[in-house]
Amino acid sequence: LARFVELLLTENERMNLTAIRSPEGVWTRHIVDSLAVLPLIDANAAQTIADVGSGGGVPGLPLACVRPQLQFTLIDSTAKKMAAVTRIAEGIGLQNVRCVAGRAEELAHQPRFREKFDVVLARAVGPLPPLVEWVAGLVRIEGQCWLFKSLNGLDEEIAAAQAAARQCRLDLDDVFEYSLPEELGDRAVVIYSKVDALPRDLPRPPWKAKGKPLD
């Protein structure tokens, strides 16, 4: 984890992977937040985990550091970010990470990715109504989606995503709450379970779905 902090900040000097510039900030805002889902991982039989919108490799890389027996696929639409994250993973020596440049809603129509993952994570990616569609195509039937959110306004956001989740064959299972240190705020992981196969026409292509969540 210390090596991750060092390499993330080094790569961040080349391109903007995170707004956080200090090691202390990376520890409290990125690593502690990422590792909050460890109780969920340890209570789950998941072996394959996808991190959608991974950006600078968070939460995927910190989790891969502490759970080397699991396989992590990090996905981001920006190829330069995935190249940087690949360098970070190689610098740490992680053998359980692959990085894929692409949009989740497009990758989900490729056989090697569609409904293949036990768990799909997304942190700081977007509001729940479009997000559930982006992740639903990657998680397998009976798998779960764990979506990191702020507690502020979460009930309204979950309600707004109800119709989209239903169309994407996702049932709201639980909301896992926790607090960040140093009074950095209360957080939550919204847990959806995949109850059936996703309709073949979902997720929609970006041009069709932009600004129009399923309703």
Side-chain angles (χ1 to χ4, degrees):
L1 290 173
R3 183 67 172 150
F4 166 73
V5 174
E6 176 186 353
L7 292 173
L8 175 63
L9 292 175
T10 298
E11 289 289 344
N12 204 47
E13 295 175 359
R14 303 182 187 180
M15 68 175 301
N16 185 30
L17 295 173
T18 175
I20 299 170
R21 309 294 180 185
S22 70
E24 296 79 8
V26 174
W27 278 103
T28 55
R29 292 181 179 272
H30 284 330
I31 292 182
V32 172
D33 199 25
S34 299
L35 301 188
V37 296
L38 283 179
L40 301 179
I41 287 178
D42 292 342
N44 193 291
Q47 293 296 311
T48 57
I49 298 177
D51 174 12
V52 170
S54 188
V58 181
L61 286 187
L63 290 169
C65 286
V66 299
R67 292 296 181 270
Q69 74 276 20
L70 306 182
Q71 296 298 315
F72 291 84
T73 298
L74 278 53
I75 297 170
D76 197 276
S77 61
T78 304
K80 288 183 178 180
K81 288 185 178 181
M82 285 292 89
V85 171
T86 297
R87 291 191 294 269
I88 295 172
E90 291 174 347
I92 299 170
L94 294 174
Q95 302 296 314
N96 59 332
V97 171
R98 64 172 172 172
C99 298
V100 180
R103 299 183 67 98
E105 61 268 45
E106 294 175 334
L107 295 174
H109 289 282
Q110 298 182 19
R112 63 183 177 135
F113 294 117
R114 188 170 182 85
E115 297 183 324
K116 295 298 186 185
F117 296 94
D118 298 327
V119 169
V120 178
L121 308 169
R123 174 182 179 266
V125 175
L128 282 178
L131 182 56
V132 293
E133 183 178 0
W134 299 341
V135 299
L138 299 173
V139 65
R140 66 170 176 82
I141 300 169
E142 298 184 351
Q144 291 188 329
C145 300
W146 301 345
L147 310 179
F148 289 68
K149 304 298 296 184
S150 169
L151 270 181
N152 186 32
L154 183 58
D155 289 343
E156 293 80 3
E157 198 171 341
I158 290 173
Q162 186 174 358
R166 182 172 58 251
Q167 290 193 53
C168 292
R169 309 304 191 256
L170 297 176
D171 278 358
L172 179 64
D173 190 50
D174 199 4
V175 176
F176 175 74
E177 298 183 12
Y178 61 98
S179 297
L180 292 177
E182 301 180 7
E183 299 183 353
L184 290 176
D186 296 324
R187 302 279 295 166
V189 177
V190 182
I191 303 171
Y192 290 96
S193 294
K194 184 79 165 286
V195 296
D196 202 355
L198 193 68
R200 293 176 63 87
D201 60 337
L202 294 179
R204 296 166 296 167
W207 63 267
K208 189 173 183 179
K210 188 175 182 180
K212 299 177 182 178
L214 292 166
D215 55 23

